[in-house]
Amino acid sequence: MSQTPRPPVGRSAPTSADVARLAGVSRATVSYVLNNTAAVRISEPTRLRVRAAAEELGYVPHAAARSLRAGHTRTVVMPSARRPAGPLPLRFYDEFQGELRRLEYTVVEYGGLGLDGDEAARAWAELRPVAVVCPGGTQPTAHGVSLLRRSGARAVVTLGPHPTQGAHFLALDERRIGAAAAEHLIQRGRRAIGVVVPREPVPAHCARLRLEGVRAAADGAGARTVALPMAYEEESAAALAARWRATGLDGVFAFDDEYAMLLMRALQDEGVDVPRETAVIGAGDLLLGRLLRPRLSTVRVDTVSGRRLADFVDRMVREPAAEPEHHDLMAARAVHRESS
Amino acid sequence: MSQTPRPPVGRSAPTSADVARLAGVSRATVSYVLNNTAAVRISEPTRLRVRAAAEELGYVPHAAARSLRAGHTRTVVMPSARRPAGPLPLRFYDEFQGELRRLEYTVVEYGGLGLDGDEAARAWAELRPVAVVCPGGTQPTAHGVSLLRRSGARAVVTLGPHPTQGAHFLALDERRIGAAAAEHLIQRGRRAIGVVVPREPVPAHCARLRLEGVRAAADGAGARTVALPMAYEEESAAALAARWRATGLDGVFAFDDEYAMLLMRALQDEGVDVPRETAVIGAGDLLLGRLLRPRLSTVRVDTVSGRRLADFVDRMVREPAAEPEHHDLMAARAVHRESS
DNA sequence: TTGAAAGCGGTACCAT
DNA sequence: ATGGTACCGCTTTCAA
């Protein structure tokens, strides 16, 4: 335990040459031993000396040098900006990352915030990733994809509402959530549908798509829709509730369960009967929504497992498809409880 | 727009030599131009030719080669495993990452899942990061810290409940949350305090610490405590509520607001009067907790801004302190509403 | 069984 | 104002 806690930082990290010197062998031998190179047989005593020397010096190979020499990396870049919030996507991406690690990739979650479009693609390309996975909200342009592929990326995969030219596309379409909600409300006889659009910036992207989904479904069924900006604060919900009757709405899709719970409480405080006067539906199937009275109706979202996504990326890396592939990852269906 | 979408991937990425050839200059000149090297004057026509050539080829510098030559990186590694869930930490880390980017660091969020302790430290060290920031639950050992520093990391910063030898330490002590909750309950006359311990694996680390915090506070005040394992499911909460009266508890700290809401609903369904018979307090100050009746008491957690953390890391990188520094990042205080 | 040496891509010194 | 060139640390022929 009395190991020196802060070793002199002046001297830089030991290299394989240092190990070689200490072990009395050449750098080549060090490389053979530490990588267990099968094509070359090194005597056991030598192996031990090399290992001991590496251990003693605290030798750690230099990833940059290695991949420079190798001409490729096992790096998968995943921009992390503007990920949909909530526990579900979080689990999904955690699982995805874990599975990629299992497949021996180094996952680099690159905070693309503050870079726009092609700048970001350039920054990722500098790392010479073997694959790039872009979650919704971080889609590169066709030009960005081209740049990445030219710089050696064997697969560029985008998740989101619409494909990018040249990239694999895994549909993860938030519009479906809105559509499922709208269809549910319409089926239950509602014809004047409000759609909560969060004032908060984070889910702005999702919000627009969910609204689009509602509109598409409602337009086809002759229902009218009204966008309702609302902040995630009690005052904002109360203000919206106060002018509720004036809107003449008989149903509302509240973006997600949290906004739905907030709005439903405000409506109740205002004396609006849910679901008699106004049906309320959220999305995400939060457990908490089931604790309210009336129990909150919701849209349940089923995403493919992170593991399947990881396997897909791996397959695209190993046998790059001639043409971009296109798969569907998300299903959304309304769950009727009591609030609608 | 009819740019070829998938350029031939056979040929590898263009190098500065390719740019030099196309522009009819040397590699050195290319480097000077593209880096705007101040110490060297390059004529305007040459600059233009080089830029045009780089553009035409889609040249992107090779980060590994550059940092190999430079002898250092601007990479900050942040292991991402087992981050406390919830919107608050998420925002905190997002802001932190954004600020680091602003300071021109490349944030690499390294999924350390599946690696244990020193293995993980080794994996990080291979990237030769200039700094490593370990959120709670990913603390390296003293040996790991030593390894990282030997491999060139100018700062190793840990956030969490206890310090690691040799690393900077920013206290982010979950125990305080438990302590604040316990003190609140005790102050309101409760002497038999239940502590919900989630059965879910993710917040296991936090759970233990919060429980410790409760115990420390309760022991000092002569109150007894009981750990109450509970899963985040209605059935589990109902089961706990069903045997509630037998426990003789008159107060409960429910780990966080979500578990608190779940348990409170179950208690109410069982006919237990909250707060008369049993006081309930959560943590996190979720907005949703204010929507319940009775309104949920909670522990509000104030964390320092991500920006201040980023500035701290930057300072440690620029002027490495002789001794590890130690700062306090978290304050917790109970907020009394109606459930306690 | 081991070593010498070439080179991956970029930078920066020293010439010219 | 530019070019030649020696590195950075590692892998991998090829020779001995």
Side-chain angles (χ1 to χ4, degrees):
Chain A
M1 284 299 100
S2 72
Q3 188 143 15
T4 85
R6 291 171 80 81
V9 82
R11 296 289 8 102
S12 54
T15 72
S16 73
D18 296 320
V19 177
R21 205 169 307 122
L22 182 57
V25 298
S26 74
R27 290 162 59 214
T29 305
V30 171
S31 176
Y32 294 142
V33 171
L34 296 183
N35 294 309
N36 287 312
T37 307
V40 176
R41 307 222 63 80
I42 302 282
S43 69
E44 201 52 33
T46 305
R47 302 186 97 86
L48 291 176
R49 283 216 317 286
V50 169
R51 292 230 170 78
E55 182 68 26
E56 179 178 340
L57 294 176
Y59 169 71
V60 176
H62 193 302
R66 186 193 303 238
S67 65
L68 179 57
R69 170 65 224 228
H72 62 258
T73 68
R74 296 279 292 171
T75 301
V76 176
V77 164
M78 179 162 71
S80 68
R82 292 270 169 278
R83 235 195 257 175
L88 204 106
L90 201 73
R91 280 207 38 164
F92 173 68
Y93 285 111
D94 272 0
E95 188 191 343
F96 172 55
Q97 282 204 15
E99 290 297 322
L100 277 184
R101 286 202 50 73
R102 213 180 37 81
L103 295 167
E104 312 242 62
Y105 293 96
T106 296
V107 180
V108 168
E109 212 173 315
Y110 198 101
L113 297 123
L115 300 179
D116 63 348
D118 292 345
E119 272 185 71
R122 241 188 80 98
W124 306 335
E126 292 193 356
L127 303 177
R128 295 293 191 273
V130 68
V132 179
V133 177
C134 304
T138 58
Q139 256 90 8
T141 64
H143 186 252
V145 174
S146 170
L147 194 73
L148 284 165
R149 290 195 56 85
R150 236 183 340 232
S151 74
R154 317 227 327 156
V156 179
V157 180
T158 64
L159 316 188
H162 24 244
T164 299
Q165 204 179 40
H168 300 295
F169 171 54
L170 302 180
L172 213 85
D173 192 345
E174 298 277 333
R175 282 174 296 206
R176 295 226 182 124
I177 298 173
E183 281 156 18
H184 174 79
L185 291 173
I186 289 165
Q187 187 206 327
R188 298 195 65 80
R190 313 295 168 149
R191 287 296 177 275
I193 298 176
V195 182
V196 170
V197 177
R199 283 234 169 76
E200 283 69 25
V202 179
H205 190 67
C206 298
R208 198 168 40 73
L209 291 164
R210 292 184 187 189
L211 176 59
E212 272 180 34
V214 170
R215 292 227 157 110
D219 288 353
R224 74 182 173 94
T225 60
V226 181
L228 303 169
M230 178 180 117
Y232 190 60
E233 296 158 5
E234 286 179 286
E235 302 71 37
S236 181
L240 179 54
R243 60 188 183 82
W244 193 258
R245 292 212 163 89
T247 64
L249 298 171
D250 59 8
V252 58
F253 169 54
F255 177 68
D256 72 8
D257 284 350
E258 294 197 292
Y259 285 85
M261 291 167 79
L262 182 56
L263 177 58
M264 190 161 82
R265 161 59 67 193
L267 288 174
Q268 288 174 323
D269 287 349
E270 193 67 27
V272 176
D273 187 317
V274 177
R276 197 93 56 89
E277 265 186 88
T278 299
V280 177
I281 184 169
D285 195 18
L286 290 192
L287 176 52
L288 297 180
R290 281 175 249 170
L291 306 180
L292 299 189
R293 299 299 177 264
R295 291 180 171 82
L296 183 66
S297 294
T298 191
V299 175
R300 181 195 286 261
V301 179
D302 292 311
T303 309
V304 79
S305 75
R307 157 144 198 187
R308 276 199 44 205
L309 175 53
D311 287 342
F312 175 76
V313 170
D314 183 48
R315 186 162 64 81
M316 289 305 104
V317 166
R318 298 154 72 120
E319 6 168 313
E323 288 304 311
E325 295 197 8
H326 181 141
H327 299 283
D328 224 316
L329 247 58
M330 181 200 267
R333 66 174 200 284
V335 177
H336 178 228
R337 296 223 168 87
E338 299 165 1
S339 68
S340 63
Chain B
M1 283 300 102
S2 72
Q3 188 142 13
T4 88
R6 290 171 81 79
V9 81
R11 298 285 10 100
S12 53
T15 71
S16 73
D18 296 321
V19 177
R21 207 168 306 124
L22 183 58
V25 299
S26 73
R27 287 188 321 141
T29 304
V30 171
S31 176
Y32 295 143
V33 171
L34 296 183
N35 295 308
N36 287 312
T37 308
V40 176
R41 306 222 61 81
I42 303 283
S43 70
E44 200 54 32
T46 305
R47 303 185 96 87
L48 291 175
R49 283 216 316 287
V50 169
R51 293 229 168 78
E55 182 68 26
E56 180 178 341
L57 294 175
Y59 169 73
V60 176
H62 193 304
R66 185 190 301 225
S67 66
L68 178 58
R69 169 67 226 219
H72 62 257
T73 68
R74 295 280 292 173
T75 300
V76 175
V77 164
M78 180 162 71
S80 67
R82 292 272 169 277
R83 247 194 245 174
L88 204 106
L90 201 73
R91 279 207 38 164
F92 173 68
Y93 285 111
D94 272 0
E95 188 191 343
F96 172 54
Q97 283 204 14
E99 290 297 324
L100 277 184
R101 287 203 49 74
R102 216 182 31 84
L103 295 167
E104 312 241 62
Y105 293 96
T106 296
V107 180
V108 168
E109 211 172 316
Y110 198 101
L113 295 123
L115 300 180
D116 63 347
D118 292 345
E119 272 185 71
R122 242 190 77 100
W124 307 334
E126 292 192 358
L127 303 178
R128 295 293 190 272
V130 69
V132 179
V133 177
C134 303
T138 58
Q139 257 89 9
T141 64
H143 185 253
V145 173
S146 170
L147 194 74
L148 284 165
R149 292 194 54 86
R150 232 180 346 225
S151 74
R154 317 227 328 154
V156 179
V157 180
T158 64
L159 316 188
H162 24 244
T164 299
Q165 204 179 40
H168 300 295
F169 171 55
L170 303 180
L172 213 85
D173 192 346
E174 298 277 332
R175 282 174 295 207
R176 295 226 182 124
I177 298 173
E183 282 156 17
H184 173 79
L185 291 173
I186 289 164
Q187 188 206 326
R188 299 194 67 78
R190 313 296 167 148
R191 286 296 177 273
I193 299 175
V195 183
V196 170
V197 178
R199 282 232 169 78
E200 282 70 26
V202 180
H205 190 69
C206 299
R208 199 168 40 73
L209 291 164
R210 292 184 189 190
L211 176 59
E212 272 181 35
V214 171
R215 292 227 157 110
D219 287 354
R224 74 183 172 94
T225 60
V226 181
L228 304 170
M230 179 180 118
Y232 190 61
E233 297 157 4
E234 287 179 285
E235 303 72 37
S236 182
L240 179 55
R243 61 188 181 82
W244 193 259
R245 291 213 163 89
T247 64
L249 298 171
D250 58 8
V252 58
F253 167 56
F255 177 69
D256 72 7
D257 283 350
E258 294 197 292
Y259 286 85
M261 292 166 79
L262 182 56
L263 177 58
M264 190 161 83
R265 161 59 66 192
L267 289 174
Q268 287 174 323
D269 288 348
E270 193 66 26
V272 175
D273 187 318
V274 177
R276 198 92 57 89
E277 264 186 271
T278 299
V280 176
I281 184 169
D285 196 18
L286 291 191
L287 176 52
L288 297 180
R290 280 175 249 172
L291 306 180
L292 301 188
R293 301 295 177 266
R295 291 182 171 82
L296 183 65
S297 294
T298 191
V299 176
R300 182 195 286 260
V301 179
D302 292 311
T303 309
V304 78
S305 74
R307 158 142 198 188
R308 275 198 44 205
L309 175 53
D311 287 342
F312 175 77
V313 170
D314 184 49
R315 187 162 63 82
M316 289 305 104
V317 166
R318 298 154 71 119
E319 7 166 313
E323 289 303 313
E325 296 197 8
H326 181 141
H327 298 283
D328 226 317
L329 246 58
M330 182 199 266
R333 67 174 198 286
V335 177
H336 178 228
R337 296 222 167 88
E338 299 165 0
S339 68
S340 64

